Amino acid sequence: MKVGYSPVLKIDPEFKSLMHPLSEKEFLSLRENILDGGTTYSIAAWNEYLIDGYERYMICRQENIPYHVHRIGFSCREHAITWICREQLKKGNLTNERYRYLIGKRYETERIVRNDSGTESSQQTSHSKLQNTNSYRTALKLGEEYSLSHNTVYKYGVYSRMVDIIMEKDADLAQKILSGKLRVSHDNIIELSRLPQENIKRLNKTLSKEGIDHIVISDILRGFQWKRVVEPRTKTIPQEEIPIKQMPQFDPNAAPSSLAYTMPSWEGTIKRIRNETDFQIVSEDVKNKLAFQIRQLQNTLDTLSKKMEDNSNE
């Protein structure tokens, strides 16, 4: 690790998004301490990119205060991300949402690093393969480190991927979720990430305008008062022309559309279980229950498909 003195660093958007921002009060307190200190302040960097001490860096640059830069060598970007996540997780002021996100992000990147560093033996049994996959070993390691089950680490990995998708579509909305200002459940995060970018941006504007701090994706799929989210396309009716009683217009597409939006999440869950589960070590009772529910679901889907086909042929 080399130490430099007061160089200009680059800000990587992804690295910055991993850093828990200070509150206004915390920022002002830090600024006051730096201005009163009259000493140097350490900043961490990798390949000219800032990876720790964002607020310290900005204050020192604005106030022309000298600072040291600790340059840390990483073999790849994923190594840098896992380091940032690990350092951020040491902080005690993280929201629950950012805590889950950082663990999930660390899991997703650390298992890539593990995968690049070695391969599995082809002579392993099915059970030992499960125990030695990069995903399992990484989840187990992080679970032990943060007192979580490896399945919870898997879940946080999914959470981080969905937040990243939302981040690409609307960074402001993603940061509201991570800051805890907007409460969205795990399942709703998955559904929210599937919405088109235009709808997500409109939704964010509506949430800000209405002061809403909690959303349920089923409300969005049913419309979420789409008169708020989608710009009105019809001419406003003068007050004196409004009928005494207006019945809501029936939309035959509402329920099927909601189902169409929801079903991809089922598919994702099924694929994850299929890829990550060794059914040779699953109990017969659980397998029988799952097989029964699969048959029930298949019969229901077949009935729905047949009804759609029959109506199409009429």
Side-chain angles (χ1 to χ4, degrees), residues 162-179:
M162 299 304 103
V163 171
D164 282 344
I165 292 174
I166 296 171
M167 187 91 66
E168 292 177 0
K169 297 177 180 180
D170 193 325
D172 180 66
L173 181 62
Q175 289 300 333
K176 287 179 181 177
I177 294 171
L178 294 178
S179 68

Side-chain angles (χ1 to χ4, degrees), residues 148-165:
L148 302 168
S149 71
H150 65 277
N151 285 327
T152 298
V153 176
Y154 286 145
K155 186 176 181 179
Y156 288 176
V158 174
Y159 181 84
S160 72
R161 293 200 305 271
M162 299 304 103
V163 171
D164 282 344
I165 292 174

